[in-house]
Amino acid sequence: MSKTNRRLSSLLASALLAAAALPVAAQAPALGQGPGFHDPRSPFKPLQEREGVLSWPLLSSVTVKAEKNKLVPSFPAAVQALDKKTVKVQGFMMPLEPGDKQRHFLLSSVPTSCSFCVAAGPEGLIEVRSKTPVRYTLDPVTVEGQMSVLSNDPYGLFYRVTEAQPVAAN
């Protein structure tokens, strides 16, 4: 992993761990936690549900409980069934590498309004590792790959898609 990737991963981990260290009650009303908040003033339209594409409301149906200064996810059966399955996901790209072509990035359920902010909590983010580079864009992107449902990720993430490839929007 390059020095830049380690720095970006470290920043992401710090943001997610800081959120996880807060009491659960303190997290609930905060913007940027949970499935995310789509600002009505945003120039970007909210994501629309699409047939054959994983639903963000399903992913955000996870519940969490605080244990020893961290949040432990409890996934509904429908979410657990996605583990190790090939899925299509859509979202707004949050780059984790420099440049306009990304192989490692986050997808968010809502667009980012600040380049230093995490747009959603772990239930509104998916880490993506792609086989082929995906061009950075402010518009939603769709990728297909193998889904992992994470119960104990060191960065506090709940979802990861690997071996991803970009999919043309319908």
Side-chain angles (χ1 to χ4, degrees), residues 90-141:
Q90 68 173 340
F92 295 93
M93 185 182 276
M94 296 175 62
L96 294 175
E97 302 175 316
D100 67 339
K101 294 195 176 184
Q102 302 288 307
R103 287 183 181 266
H104 184 211
F105 55 93
L106 296 176
L107 282 183
S108 173
S109 59
V110 295
T112 27
S113 57
C114 165
S115 56
F116 302 102
C117 303
V118 178
E123 60 274 39
L125 298 171
I126 300 172
E127 179 185 17
V128 177
R129 297 241 180 217
S130 68
K131 285 201 277 191
T132 57
V134 179
R135 181 173 297 279
Y136 175 70
T137 177
L138 296 173
D139 295 322
V141 298

Side-chain angles (χ1 to χ4, degrees), residues 67-89:
E67 283 184 9
K68 298 182 183 177
N69 291 332
K70 71 177 189 173
L71 296 179
V72 178
S74 177
F75 300 102
V79 173
Q80 289 176 347
L82 298 170
D83 194 43
K84 308 290 186 254
K85 301 284 191 238
T86 299
V87 298
K88 288 182 186 175
V89 294

Side-chain angles (χ1 to χ4, degrees), residues 6-100:
R6 283 192 304 274
R7 179 177 286 153
L8 289 169
S9 292
S10 177
L11 287 171
L12 171 64
S14 296
L16 290 173
L17 289 173
L22 293 173
V24 175
Q27 291 183 28
L31 299 181
Q33 298 299 313
F37 173 76
H38 190 279
D39 189 330
R41 299 168 296 180
S42 173
F44 304 101
K45 294 180 183 176
L47 291 174
Q48 300 297 309
E49 292 288 319
R50 293 177 31 217
E51 187 175 332
V53 176
L54 197 53
S55 162
W56 282 104
L58 173 63
L59 293 177
S60 64
S61 67
V62 62
T63 58
V64 293
K65 61 181 176 177
E67 283 184 9
K68 298 182 183 177
N69 291 332
K70 71 177 189 173
L71 296 179
V72 178
S74 177
F75 300 102
V79 173
Q80 289 176 347
L82 298 170
D83 194 43
K84 308 290 186 254
K85 301 284 191 238
T86 299
V87 298
K88 288 182 186 175
V89 294
Q90 68 173 340
F92 295 93
M93 185 182 276
M94 296 175 62
L96 294 175
E97 302 175 316
D100 67 339

